[in-house]
Amino acid sequence: MKRRHTENSKNLFEHSKRDIKLLRSFSKSSRDSFPERNLQSVTDKTYDVIIIGAGMAGISAAMTLEAQGISNYIILEAKDHIGGRTYTEDEEFEGDKIPVDAGAMWIHGGSSNPLNDIAKEVNIPTSLSTYNQRVYDANGGGAISNTILNQVYNQNFENGFMRYQASQQESTDIDEPLERSAYTYASSVSDSLKKRVLQHLYSSLIELDYSGTLSKLSLWWWDSDWVLGDDDFLVPGGFGNLVQKYAIPISSKVETETIVTKVNYKFDIIRVITNKGRFKGKRVICSAPLGVLKAKSIIFRPKLPKKHRVAIKRLGMGTMNKIFLFWKSSDVFWPQNIEMLGDATDRDTNFSFFNFMSYNGNKPFLAALFHGSQAEQFETLYSISDPESYKQEIRDLAMISLRNMFGSNIPMPEKVIVTNWNADEFTRGSYSFNKVNMKPKHRKNLASPIKQGKLIFAGEATDHRYFQTVHGAYFSGKDAANKVIASLS
Protein backbone atom coordinates (compact mmCIF):
# COMPACT_ATOMS: atom_id res chain seq x y z
CA MET A 1 0.00 0.00 0.00
CA LYS A 2 1.43 3.38 -1.04
CA ARG A 3 0.61 5.51 1.99
CA ARG A 4 1.86 8.69 3.58
CA HIS A 5 5.04 8.73 5.62
CA THR A 6 5.64 10.59 8.87
CA GLU A 7 9.09 12.01 9.57
CA ASN A 8 10.64 12.40 13.01
CA SER A 9 10.41 16.15 13.65
CA LYS A 10 13.50 16.13 15.91
CA ASN A 11 15.82 16.01 12.91
CA LEU A 12 13.90 18.72 11.05
CA PHE A 13 14.80 21.42 13.54
CA GLU A 14 18.47 20.92 12.65
CA HIS A 15 17.60 22.63 9.36
CA SER A 16 16.55 25.87 11.08
CA LYS A 17 19.20 26.21 13.82
CA ARG A 18 21.62 28.13 11.59
CA ASP A 19 18.75 30.27 10.30
CA ILE A 20 17.84 31.23 13.87
CA LYS A 21 21.47 32.05 14.61
CA LEU A 22 21.67 34.24 11.51
CA LEU A 23 18.41 36.01 12.40
CA ARG A 24 19.67 36.64 15.93
CA SER A 25 22.86 38.17 14.56
CA PHE A 26 20.72 41.08 13.41
CA SER A 27 19.73 43.65 15.99
CA LYS A 28 16.04 43.87 16.84
CA SER A 29 15.79 47.17 14.98
CA SER A 30 17.34 45.57 11.89
CA ARG A 31 14.90 42.68 12.04
CA ASP A 32 11.91 44.98 12.13
CA SER A 33 12.52 46.46 8.69
CA PHE A 34 14.36 45.72 5.47
CA PRO A 35 17.86 47.19 5.14
CA GLU A 36 18.43 49.81 2.51
CA ARG A 37 19.09 48.20 -0.87
CA ASN A 38 21.81 49.73 -2.98
CA LEU A 39 22.49 46.77 -5.23
CA GLN A 40 22.42 47.40 -8.95
CA SER A 41 22.61 44.95 -11.83
CA VAL A 42 26.31 44.34 -12.45
CA THR A 43 27.06 42.51 -15.67
CA ASP A 44 30.86 42.33 -15.32
CA LYS A 45 30.92 40.67 -11.90
CA THR A 46 31.14 36.89 -11.49
CA TYR A 47 29.11 35.52 -8.60
CA ASP A 48 29.78 32.26 -6.82
CA VAL A 49 26.05 31.52 -6.98
CA ILE A 50 23.12 33.00 -8.87
CA ILE A 51 19.74 32.12 -7.37
CA ILE A 52 16.70 32.42 -9.62
CA GLY A 53 13.58 33.21 -7.60
CA ALA A 54 13.10 34.86 -4.20
CA GLY A 55 10.34 32.59 -2.94
CA MET A 56 10.87 30.43 0.12
CA ALA A 57 13.21 28.04 -1.74
CA GLY A 58 15.45 30.82 -3.00
CA ILE A 59 15.45 32.57 0.37
CA SER A 60 16.33 29.42 2.33
CA ALA A 61 19.09 28.65 -0.20
CA ALA A 62 20.55 32.12 0.37
CA MET A 63 20.29 31.78 4.16
CA THR A 64 22.17 28.49 3.93
CA LEU A 65 24.92 30.05 1.82
CA GLU A 66 25.26 32.91 4.30
CA ALA A 67 25.46 30.52 7.24
CA GLN A 68 28.35 28.74 5.47
CA GLY A 69 30.22 31.98 4.83
CA ILE A 70 29.35 32.34 1.14
CA SER A 71 28.25 35.91 0.50
CA ASN A 72 29.15 36.38 -3.17
CA TYR A 73 25.71 35.55 -4.58
CA ILE A 74 22.71 37.32 -6.03
CA ILE A 75 18.98 36.49 -6.14
CA LEU A 76 17.08 37.38 -9.31
CA GLU A 77 13.33 37.77 -8.72
CA ALA A 78 10.87 38.44 -11.55
CA LYS A 79 8.16 39.92 -9.32
CA ASP A 80 8.33 43.25 -7.49
CA HIS A 81 8.45 41.63 -4.05
CA ILE A 82 10.15 38.90 -2.04
CA GLY A 83 8.17 35.77 -1.19
CA GLY A 84 6.96 34.34 -4.49
CA ARG A 85 3.77 32.37 -3.95
CA THR A 86 3.89 33.22 -0.25
CA TYR A 87 2.56 36.74 -0.46
CA THR A 88 0.45 38.95 1.82
CA GLU A 89 -1.26 42.15 0.68
CA ASP A 90 -2.58 44.64 3.25
CA GLU A 91 -6.05 45.65 2.05
CA GLU A 92 -7.83 48.81 3.19
CA PHE A 93 -11.37 48.17 4.44
CA GLU A 94 -13.57 50.00 6.94
CA GLY A 95 -10.63 52.13 7.99
CA ASP A 96 -8.38 49.16 8.76
CA LYS A 97 -5.54 47.42 7.00
CA ILE A 98 -6.42 43.75 6.69
CA PRO A 99 -3.68 41.24 5.77
CA VAL A 100 -4.79 39.01 2.89
CA ASP A 101 -2.78 35.90 2.01
CA ALA A 102 -2.88 35.44 -1.74
CA GLY A 103 -0.76 32.31 -1.39
CA ALA A 104 0.19 30.15 1.59
CA MET A 105 -1.99 30.44 4.71
CA TRP A 106 -1.01 27.61 7.07
CA ILE A 107 2.09 26.29 8.80
CA HIS A 108 1.33 22.61 8.28
CA GLY A 109 2.40 20.24 11.03
CA GLY A 110 2.25 22.91 13.71
CA SER A 111 5.10 22.82 16.21
CA SER A 112 6.77 20.01 14.22
CA ASN A 113 7.43 22.42 11.36
CA PRO A 114 10.73 24.40 11.56
CA LEU A 115 8.89 27.40 10.14
CA ASN A 116 7.04 27.59 13.44
CA ASP A 117 10.40 28.08 15.16
CA ILE A 118 11.24 30.85 12.71
CA ALA A 119 7.85 32.50 13.30
CA LYS A 120 8.61 32.70 17.00
CA GLU A 121 12.07 34.13 16.38
CA VAL A 122 10.76 36.94 14.15
CA ASN A 123 7.79 37.64 16.45
CA ILE A 124 5.05 36.50 14.08
CA PRO A 125 2.08 35.16 16.12
CA THR A 126 0.30 32.00 15.04
CA SER A 127 -3.05 30.45 15.92
CA LEU A 128 -4.13 26.81 15.93
CA SER A 129 -6.58 26.05 13.13
CA THR A 130 -9.66 24.19 14.41
CA TYR A 131 -11.02 23.12 11.02
CA ASN A 132 -14.50 22.95 12.51
CA GLN A 133 -16.90 23.02 9.60
CA ARG A 134 -20.48 23.30 8.46
CA VAL A 135 -21.68 21.84 5.17
CA TYR A 136 -24.97 22.81 3.53
CA ASP A 137 -27.15 20.69 1.28
CA ALA A 138 -27.96 21.52 -2.33
CA ASN A 139 -30.93 23.63 -3.43
CA GLY A 140 -31.16 25.60 -0.19
CA GLY A 141 -31.55 22.43 1.84
CA GLY A 142 -29.94 23.90 4.95
CA ALA A 143 -27.07 22.77 7.14
CA ILE A 144 -26.31 19.05 7.16
CA SER A 145 -26.11 17.60 10.66
CA ASN A 146 -22.73 16.89 12.21
CA THR A 147 -23.91 13.33 12.75
CA ILE A 148 -24.26 12.81 8.99
CA LEU A 149 -20.97 14.59 8.27
CA ASN A 150 -19.08 12.47 10.79
CA GLN A 151 -20.69 9.27 9.53
CA VAL A 152 -19.78 10.01 5.92
CA TYR A 153 -16.25 11.06 6.81
CA ASN A 154 -15.55 8.02 9.01
CA GLN A 155 -17.54 5.32 7.22
CA ASN A 156 -17.53 6.42 3.60
CA PHE A 157 -14.38 8.51 3.22
CA GLU A 158 -11.74 7.17 5.63
CA ASN A 159 -12.92 3.58 5.98
CA GLY A 160 -14.69 3.40 2.63
CA PHE A 161 -13.14 5.30 -0.26
CA MET A 162 -9.62 5.50 1.19
CA ARG A 163 -9.47 1.75 1.73
CA TYR A 164 -11.02 1.08 -1.67
CA GLN A 165 -8.57 3.30 -3.57
CA ALA A 166 -5.68 1.76 -1.59
CA SER A 167 -6.75 -1.70 -2.73
CA GLN A 168 -6.99 -0.40 -6.29
CA GLN A 169 -3.45 0.97 -6.02
CA GLU A 170 -2.24 -2.57 -5.34
CA SER A 171 -4.38 -4.33 -7.92
CA THR A 172 -3.84 -2.14 -10.98
CA ASP A 173 -0.93 -2.79 -13.33
CA ILE A 174 -1.12 0.61 -15.01
CA ASP A 175 -1.59 3.94 -13.26
CA GLU A 176 -4.96 5.56 -13.84
CA PRO A 177 -6.86 8.69 -12.77
CA LEU A 178 -8.02 8.68 -9.16
CA GLU A 179 -11.43 9.69 -10.54
CA ARG A 180 -12.20 6.11 -11.56
CA SER A 181 -11.88 4.75 -8.03
CA ALA A 182 -13.59 7.78 -6.51
CA TYR A 183 -16.72 7.50 -8.57
CA THR A 184 -16.83 3.71 -8.61
CA TYR A 185 -16.88 3.81 -4.83
CA ALA A 186 -19.39 6.71 -4.76
CA SER A 187 -21.77 4.68 -6.92
CA SER A 188 -21.93 2.09 -4.14
CA VAL A 189 -23.32 4.67 -1.69
CA SER A 190 -27.11 4.39 -2.05
CA ASP A 191 -28.15 7.27 0.21
CA SER A 192 -28.29 10.38 -2.00
CA LEU A 193 -27.44 12.84 0.80
CA LYS A 194 -24.43 10.80 1.93
CA LYS A 195 -23.28 10.54 -1.66
CA ARG A 196 -23.42 14.34 -2.06
CA VAL A 197 -21.45 14.78 1.16
CA LEU A 198 -18.88 12.24 -0.01
CA GLN A 199 -18.44 14.09 -3.28
CA HIS A 200 -18.06 17.32 -1.31
CA LEU A 201 -15.23 15.65 0.62
CA TYR A 202 -13.64 14.56 -2.65
CA SER A 203 -13.58 18.21 -3.71
CA SER A 204 -12.54 19.83 -0.41
CA LEU A 205 -10.14 17.21 0.97
CA ILE A 206 -8.56 16.00 -2.26
CA GLU A 207 -8.98 18.32 -5.24
CA LEU A 208 -8.65 21.62 -3.38
CA ASP A 209 -6.03 20.21 -1.01
CA TYR A 210 -3.84 18.78 -3.77
CA SER A 211 -4.74 21.42 -6.40
CA GLY A 212 -5.45 18.76 -9.01
CA THR A 213 -8.72 17.33 -10.30
CA LEU A 214 -9.63 13.69 -9.73
CA SER A 215 -9.34 13.23 -13.49
CA LYS A 216 -5.64 14.24 -13.38
CA LEU A 217 -4.45 12.94 -10.00
CA SER A 218 -2.48 9.68 -10.02
CA LEU A 219 -4.21 6.74 -8.37
CA TRP A 220 -0.85 5.32 -7.38
CA TRP A 221 0.84 8.43 -6.05
CA TRP A 222 -1.70 11.19 -5.38
CA ASP A 223 -1.13 11.16 -1.58
CA SER A 224 2.49 10.05 -1.40
CA ASP A 225 3.49 13.22 0.45
CA TRP A 226 4.84 12.97 3.98
CA VAL A 227 3.27 14.65 7.01
CA LEU A 228 4.98 16.43 9.89
CA GLY A 229 2.13 16.36 12.39
CA ASP A 230 -1.62 16.71 12.78
CA ASP A 231 -1.89 20.39 13.77
CA ASP A 232 -1.87 23.35 11.40
CA PHE A 233 -1.24 26.95 12.44
CA LEU A 234 -2.77 30.02 10.85
CA VAL A 235 -0.73 33.21 10.61
CA PRO A 236 -3.24 35.99 11.41
CA GLY A 237 -0.82 38.78 10.50
CA GLY A 238 -0.10 37.19 7.12
CA PHE A 239 2.15 34.30 6.12
CA GLY A 240 3.91 36.58 3.67
CA ASN A 241 5.03 38.79 6.55
CA LEU A 242 6.69 35.77 8.19
CA VAL A 243 8.65 35.11 4.99
CA GLN A 244 9.52 38.79 4.59
CA LYS A 245 11.02 38.94 8.09
CA TYR A 246 12.83 35.63 7.61
CA ALA A 247 14.40 37.09 4.45
CA ILE A 248 15.70 40.31 6.01
CA PRO A 249 19.31 39.07 6.48
CA ILE A 250 19.65 38.38 2.75
CA SER A 251 17.23 40.95 1.28
CA SER A 252 20.01 43.29 0.11
CA LYS A 253 21.09 40.56 -2.31
CA VAL A 254 17.70 40.43 -4.08
CA GLU A 255 17.16 42.07 -7.45
CA THR A 256 13.40 42.36 -7.97
CA GLU A 257 11.66 42.85 -11.33
CA THR A 258 14.52 40.94 -12.92
CA ILE A 259 13.08 38.47 -15.42
CA VAL A 260 15.32 35.57 -16.37
CA THR A 261 14.88 34.47 -19.98
CA LYS A 262 17.92 32.26 -20.62
CA VAL A 263 20.51 30.25 -18.69
CA ASN A 264 23.59 29.17 -20.62
CA TYR A 265 25.54 26.70 -18.50
CA LYS A 266 27.68 25.26 -21.32
CA PHE A 267 30.92 26.87 -20.15
CA ASP A 268 32.68 27.13 -16.79
CA ILE A 269 31.10 30.52 -16.16
CA ILE A 270 27.32 30.41 -16.46
CA ARG A 271 25.55 33.27 -18.19
CA VAL A 272 22.06 34.23 -17.03
CA ILE A 273 20.23 36.56 -19.42
CA THR A 274 17.58 38.89 -18.00
CA ASN A 275 15.62 42.01 -18.91
CA LYS A 276 18.26 43.96 -16.94
CA GLY A 277 21.26 42.49 -18.66
CA ARG A 278 23.57 39.52 -18.27
CA PHE A 279 24.70 38.04 -14.96
CA LYS A 280 27.65 35.66 -14.63
CA GLY A 281 28.11 32.95 -12.02
CA LYS A 282 29.90 29.71 -11.19
CA ARG A 283 26.71 27.99 -10.02
CA VAL A 284 22.96 28.53 -10.51
CA ILE A 285 20.12 27.47 -8.23
CA CYS A 286 16.85 27.76 -10.15
CA SER A 287 13.79 27.92 -7.89
CA ALA A 288 11.35 29.09 -10.55
CA PRO A 289 7.88 27.50 -10.13
CA LEU A 290 7.15 24.28 -12.00
CA GLY A 291 4.55 26.13 -14.10
CA VAL A 292 7.23 28.48 -15.40
CA LEU A 293 9.44 25.52 -16.32
CA LYS A 294 6.52 23.82 -18.06
CA ALA A 295 5.83 26.99 -20.05
CA LYS A 296 9.50 27.05 -21.12
CA SER A 297 9.69 30.70 -20.10
CA ILE A 298 13.36 30.15 -19.32
CA ILE A 299 15.53 28.71 -22.09
CA PHE A 300 18.36 26.44 -20.94
CA ARG A 301 21.46 25.93 -23.07
CA PRO A 302 22.45 23.23 -23.50
CA LYS A 303 18.96 21.77 -23.14
CA LEU A 304 18.28 20.09 -19.82
CA PRO A 305 19.12 16.38 -19.39
CA LYS A 306 16.33 14.04 -20.41
CA LYS A 307 15.46 12.99 -16.86
CA HIS A 308 14.89 16.63 -15.90
CA ARG A 309 12.78 17.31 -19.00
CA VAL A 310 10.68 14.21 -18.37
CA ALA A 311 10.19 15.22 -14.73
CA ILE A 312 8.94 18.69 -15.72
CA LYS A 313 6.53 17.15 -18.22
CA ARG A 314 5.20 14.37 -15.97
CA LEU A 315 4.59 16.41 -12.81
CA GLY A 316 1.28 18.28 -12.57
CA MET A 317 0.85 21.97 -11.80
CA GLY A 318 -2.27 22.91 -9.87
CA THR A 319 -4.94 25.37 -11.03
CA MET A 320 -6.42 26.43 -7.70
CA ASN A 321 -7.14 30.08 -6.89
CA LYS A 322 -8.56 32.15 -4.03
CA ILE A 323 -11.29 34.72 -3.64
CA PHE A 324 -11.65 37.17 -0.74
CA LEU A 325 -15.04 38.77 -0.12
CA PHE A 326 -15.49 41.71 2.28
CA TRP A 327 -18.79 42.84 3.81
CA LYS A 328 -19.76 45.66 6.14
CA SER A 329 -19.57 44.57 9.77
CA SER A 330 -23.33 45.11 10.01
CA ASP A 331 -23.94 42.74 7.08
CA VAL A 332 -22.20 39.62 8.42
CA PHE A 333 -24.55 36.70 7.76
CA TRP A 334 -22.40 33.63 8.38
CA PRO A 335 -21.79 31.84 11.72
CA GLN A 336 -18.75 33.46 13.29
CA ASN A 337 -17.70 30.40 15.31
CA ILE A 338 -17.35 28.09 12.28
CA GLU A 339 -14.01 28.09 10.45
CA MET A 340 -14.93 26.19 7.26
CA LEU A 341 -18.10 26.52 5.20
CA GLY A 342 -19.16 24.69 2.06
CA ASP A 343 -22.07 23.15 0.21
CA ALA A 344 -22.57 19.64 -1.13
CA THR A 345 -23.48 20.30 -4.76
CA ASP A 346 -22.33 19.15 -8.16
CA ARG A 347 -21.44 22.56 -9.61
CA ASP A 348 -18.52 22.78 -12.00
CA THR A 349 -16.75 25.38 -9.84
CA ASN A 350 -16.50 24.45 -6.16
CA PHE A 351 -15.68 26.81 -3.30
CA SER A 352 -14.36 25.96 0.14
CA PHE A 353 -14.91 29.02 2.36
CA PHE A 354 -12.78 29.93 5.36
CA ASN A 355 -14.01 32.27 8.07
CA PHE A 356 -11.15 33.87 9.98
CA MET A 357 -13.15 36.34 12.10
CA SER A 358 -12.11 34.68 15.35
CA TYR A 359 -8.44 34.95 14.30
CA ASN A 360 -8.21 38.33 12.58
CA GLY A 361 -9.82 40.68 15.08
CA ASN A 362 -13.37 40.13 13.74
CA LYS A 363 -12.65 41.60 10.32
CA PRO A 364 -15.71 40.78 8.17
CA PHE A 365 -14.44 38.78 5.22
CA LEU A 366 -14.51 35.26 3.87
CA ALA A 367 -11.71 33.61 1.90
CA ALA A 368 -12.34 30.68 -0.40
CA LEU A 369 -10.26 28.22 -2.38
CA PHE A 370 -11.84 27.34 -5.70
CA HIS A 371 -11.27 25.43 -8.89
CA GLY A 372 -13.28 24.33 -11.90
CA SER A 373 -13.19 24.61 -15.68
CA GLN A 374 -15.65 27.52 -15.74
CA ALA A 375 -13.48 29.55 -13.33
CA GLU A 376 -10.38 28.67 -15.34
CA GLN A 377 -12.04 29.93 -18.50
CA PHE A 378 -12.85 33.25 -16.83
CA GLU A 379 -9.26 33.53 -15.65
CA THR A 380 -7.93 32.88 -19.15
CA LEU A 381 -10.35 35.35 -20.72
CA TYR A 382 -10.29 38.23 -18.26
CA SER A 383 -7.75 38.09 -15.43
CA ILE A 384 -5.02 39.92 -17.37
CA SER A 385 -6.97 41.91 -19.98
CA ASP A 386 -10.00 42.85 -17.85
CA PRO A 387 -9.37 42.24 -14.11
CA GLU A 388 -12.67 43.83 -13.03
CA SER A 389 -14.73 41.48 -15.20
CA TYR A 390 -12.72 38.55 -13.85
CA LYS A 391 -13.47 39.57 -10.26
CA GLN A 392 -17.16 40.01 -11.03
CA GLU A 393 -17.49 36.63 -12.75
CA ILE A 394 -15.78 34.73 -9.92
CA ARG A 395 -17.70 36.76 -7.32
CA ASP A 396 -20.99 35.78 -8.97
CA LEU A 397 -20.01 32.09 -8.92
CA ALA A 398 -19.10 32.37 -5.24
CA MET A 399 -22.39 34.12 -4.46
CA ILE A 400 -24.34 31.25 -6.03
CA SER A 401 -22.74 28.96 -3.47
CA LEU A 402 -23.23 31.37 -0.55
CA ARG A 403 -26.88 32.04 -1.44
CA ASN A 404 -27.49 28.32 -1.58
CA MET A 405 -26.16 28.14 1.97
CA PHE A 406 -27.57 31.33 3.50
CA GLY A 407 -30.50 32.41 1.33
CA SER A 408 -31.05 34.63 -1.68
CA ASN A 409 -31.31 37.83 0.35
CA ILE A 410 -27.72 38.01 1.57
CA PRO A 411 -26.00 41.22 0.38
CA MET A 412 -23.36 41.48 -2.27
CA PRO A 413 -19.86 42.02 -0.89
CA GLU A 414 -18.42 45.52 -0.70
CA LYS A 415 -15.00 44.47 -1.93
CA VAL A 416 -13.61 41.47 -3.82
CA ILE A 417 -10.07 40.23 -4.43
CA VAL A 418 -9.32 37.23 -6.66
CA THR A 419 -5.97 35.59 -7.38
CA ASN A 420 -4.91 34.50 -10.86
CA TRP A 421 -1.99 32.14 -10.26
CA ASN A 422 -2.57 30.26 -13.53
CA ALA A 423 -2.46 33.33 -15.76
CA ASP A 424 0.42 34.92 -13.82
CA GLU A 425 3.40 34.58 -16.16
CA PHE A 426 5.79 34.22 -13.22
CA THR A 427 3.95 31.31 -11.56
CA ARG A 428 1.70 29.57 -14.13
CA GLY A 429 -0.22 27.72 -11.43
CA SER A 430 -0.69 27.30 -7.70
CA TYR A 431 1.49 24.33 -6.67
CA SER A 432 2.49 20.93 -7.97
CA PHE A 433 0.65 17.61 -7.71
CA ASN A 434 1.26 14.01 -8.68
CA LYS A 435 -0.26 13.57 -12.11
CA VAL A 436 -1.27 10.29 -13.72
CA ASN A 437 1.81 8.38 -14.98
CA MET A 438 4.30 10.35 -12.89
CA LYS A 439 6.64 8.51 -10.54
CA PRO A 440 8.19 9.62 -7.23
CA LYS A 441 11.62 9.49 -8.87
CA HIS A 442 10.60 12.42 -11.07
CA ARG A 443 10.79 14.88 -8.17
CA LYS A 444 14.15 13.44 -7.13
CA ASN A 445 15.37 13.62 -10.72
CA LEU A 446 14.33 17.26 -11.00
CA ALA A 447 16.34 18.04 -7.84
CA SER A 448 19.47 16.19 -9.01
CA PRO A 449 22.54 18.34 -9.84
CA ILE A 450 23.37 19.00 -13.48
CA LYS A 451 26.98 19.08 -14.75
CA GLN A 452 28.60 18.40 -11.37
CA GLY A 453 26.39 20.88 -9.57
CA LYS A 454 26.63 23.81 -11.98
CA LEU A 455 22.84 23.97 -12.21
CA ILE A 456 20.42 22.74 -9.52
CA PHE A 457 16.65 23.10 -9.30
CA ALA A 458 14.83 23.87 -6.06
CA GLY A 459 11.25 24.64 -5.05
CA GLU A 460 8.31 22.69 -3.64
CA ALA A 461 8.00 20.64 -6.83
CA THR A 462 11.48 19.19 -6.29
CA ASP A 463 10.76 17.88 -2.77
CA HIS A 464 9.39 14.32 -2.94
CA ARG A 465 8.37 14.42 0.73
CA TYR A 466 6.67 17.78 1.20
CA PHE A 467 5.70 18.96 -2.28
CA GLN A 468 2.96 21.63 -2.38
CA THR A 469 4.08 23.19 0.91
CA VAL A 470 6.14 26.16 2.05
CA HIS A 471 8.26 23.89 4.24
CA GLY A 472 8.85 21.67 1.20
CA ALA A 473 10.22 24.73 -0.61
CA TYR A 474 12.24 25.62 2.50
CA PHE A 475 13.90 22.19 2.68
CA SER A 476 14.52 22.10 -1.08
CA GLY A 477 16.36 25.42 -0.97
CA LYS A 478 18.61 24.22 1.82
CA ASP A 479 19.28 20.94 0.06
CA ALA A 480 20.18 22.73 -3.19
CA ALA A 481 22.48 25.18 -1.39
CA ASN A 482 24.28 22.36 0.41
CA LYS A 483 24.85 20.60 -2.92
CA VAL A 484 26.25 23.82 -4.38
CA ILE A 485 28.53 24.33 -1.38
CA ALA A 486 29.86 20.78 -1.77
CA SER A 487 30.51 21.34 -5.49
CA LEU A 488 32.39 24.59 -4.85
CA SER A 489 34.71 23.13 -2.24
Side-chain angles (χ1 to χ4, degrees):
M1 185 182 298
K2 305 173 183 71
R3 307 302 300 149
R4 287 188 173 188
H5 302 272
T6 303
E7 185 163 329
N8 187 332
S9 62
K10 180 180 179 181
N11 295 327
L12 297 178
F13 283 100
E14 297 299 321
H15 288 269
S16 63
K17 283 183 178 178
R18 286 174 175 160
D19 289 343
I20 299 301
K21 185 177 180 180
L22 188 57
L23 287 166
R24 287 177 179 170
S25 70
F26 278 67
S27 65
K28 183 181 185 301
S29 60
S30 296
R31 286 189 278 126
D32 285 340
S33 60
F34 282 91
E36 290 293 324
R37 295 180 63 254
N38 55 14
L39 184 68
Q40 300 295 321
S41 300
V42 180
T43 57
D44 59 348
K45 179 177 180 178
T46 299
Y47 295 93
D48 288 330
V49 186
I50 297 174
I51 300 172
I52 300 173
M56 179 52 88
I59 295 167
S60 68
M63 292 285 281
T64 303
L65 294 176
E66 284 282 353
Q68 293 292 329
I70 297 176
S71 58
N72 182 30
Y73 65 87
I74 189 171
I75 307 174
L76 308 179
E77 169 56 47
K79 290 180 176 291
D80 62 1
H81 62 269
I82 291 174
R85 285 169 284 169
T86 306
Y87 178 62
T88 300
E89 186 74 48
D90 286 333
E91 294 292 335
E92 294 279 352
F93 188 70
E94 291 191 334
D96 291 326
K97 285 188 177 181
I98 302 175
V100 171
D101 278 324
M105 296 169 69
W106 288 276
I107 298 177
H108 296 294
S111 58
S112 298
N113 190 327
L115 299 183
N116 182 61
D117 228 22
I118 292 171
K120 291 179 180 178
E121 183 62 31
V122 298
N123 299 314
I124 295 289
T126 60
S127 180
L128 180 66
S129 185
T130 64
Y131 287 126
N132 64 327
Q133 66 173 325
R134 185 168 295 171
V135 180
Y136 294 77
D137 202 356
N139 304 315
I144 299 170
S145 72
N146 286 335
T147 300
I148 294 294
L149 294 179
N150 290 334
Q151 283 180 355
V152 175
Y153 180 82
N154 292 321
Q155 296 175 12
N156 300 111
F157 187 78
E158 280 292 333
N159 295 309
F161 161 71
M162 290 297 285
R163 290 189 176 185
Y164 176 75
Q165 64 87 31
S167 69
Q168 292 300 105
Q169 288 178 0
E170 299 299 331
S171 62
T172 56
D173 295 326
I174 300 175
D175 194 14
E176 63 184 38
L178 182 62
E179 180 180 52
R180 188 171 302 174
S181 293
Y183 286 102
T184 298
Y185 176 79
S187 66
S188 70
V189 179
S190 58
D191 184 282
S192 60
L193 174 58
K194 290 184 176 180
K195 183 180 291 188
R196 288 196 296 277
V197 172
L198 176 63
Q199 291 171 335
H200 166 76
L201 294 177
Y202 287 165
S203 175
S204 61
L205 298 184
I206 299 177
E207 292 184 314
L208 285 172
D209 193 13
Y210 283 90
S211 80
T213 62
L214 294 175
S215 63
K216 294 180 179 179
L217 284 163
S218 161
L219 168 66
W220 282 358
W221 305 110
W222 70 276
D223 65 342
S224 65
D225 53 318
W226 296 24
V227 293
L228 291 175
D230 293 329
D231 292 333
D232 291 341
F233 290 161
L234 286 162
V235 186
F239 205 136
N241 294 325
L242 185 162
V243 177
Q244 292 271 324
K245 285 197 171 185
Y246 169 58
I248 284 174
I250 53 86
S251 61
S252 64
K253 303 291 183 71
V254 180
E255 276 279 275
T256 57
E257 298 181 276
T258 306
I259 304 167
V260 174
T261 57
K262 185 175 181 180
V263 176
N264 187 332
Y265 62 98
K266 181 177 181 180
F267 305 104
D268 289 340
I269 300 301
I270 304 168
R271 290 165 174 78
V272 177
I273 310 302
T274 78
N275 62 319
K276 292 184 177 180
R278 183 181 65 179
F279 294 81
K280 297 184 293 184
K282 298 175 184 177
R283 301 288 186 272
V284 167
I285 296 174
C286 180
S287 67
L290 176 66
V292 171
L293 301 180
K294 281 181 167 293
K296 299 181 180 179
S297 301
I298 301 174
I299 298 170
F300 294 93
R301 291 290 182 267
K303 69 180 181 181
L304 297 176
K306 182 177 180 180
K307 68 178 182 180
H308 291 78
R309 288 183 280 123
V310 170
I312 292 168
K313 180 179 180 180
R314 291 287 182 88
L315 293 171
M317 189 62 173
T319 57
M320 185 189 69
N321 269 302
K322 287 184 185 177
I323 183 171
F324 301 86
L325 304 112
F326 296 77
W327 283 267
K328 296 177 183 177
S329 297
S330 57
D331 285 342
V332 171
F333 53 84
W334 60 89
Q336 297 179 37
N337 61 333
I338 303 295
E339 185 175 315
M340 299 175 62
L341 299 160
D343 58 341
T345 70
D346 59 357
R347 295 189 200 93
D348 168 77
T349 299
N350 294 296
F351 293 83
S352 185
F353 293 92
F354 296 88
N355 165 39
F356 297 135
M357 289 189 71
S358 60
Y359 303 101
N360 66 15
N362 288 320
K363 301 298 188 297
F365 75 91
L366 293 174
L369 307 179
F370 68 90
H371 73 93
S373 60
Q374 189 175 15
E376 289 172 28
Q377 289 171 8
F378 288 142
E379 183 180 10
T380 301
L381 288 172
Y382 302 125
S383 68
I384 302 300
S385 62
D386 190 353
E388 285 304 312
S389 292
Y390 174 56
K391 285 196 291 187
Q392 290 173 15
E393 294 288 1
I394 301 301
R395 176 203 64 191
D396 291 346
L397 291 178
M399 289 300 293
I400 291 172
S401 181
L402 289 170
R403 285 175 170 161
N404 177 64
M405 292 189 275
F406 300 107
S408 59
N409 293 325
I410 63 172
M412 294 291 282
E414 298 289 319
K415 183 173 185 174
V416 176
I417 300 165
V418 188
T419 65
N420 62 335
W421 292 114
N422 309 313
D424 186 330
E425 63 179 318
F426 304 131
T427 57
R428 300 293 184 188
S430 50
Y431 44 77
S432 66
F433 67 89
N434 287 346
K435 194 169 65 171
V436 179
N437 293 324
M438 66 77 63
K439 295 181 175 65
K441 72 176 184 180
H442 289 140
R443 294 187 188 276
K444 295 179 182 179
N445 286 348
L446 186 55
S448 63
I450 300 171
K451 294 194 96 173
Q452 291 78 50
K454 287 183 66 178
L455 171 63
I456 297 178
F457 288 96
E460 55 84 14
T462 68
D463 194 302
H464 72 281
R465 304 162 303 171
Y466 305 114
F467 55 90
Q468 305 183 318
T469 67
V470 181
H471 57 276
Y474 171 85
F475 291 135
S476 77
K478 293 197 165 300
D479 290 343
N482 284 325
K483 290 172 185 174
V484 162
I485 291 166
S487 73
L488 286 170
S489 59

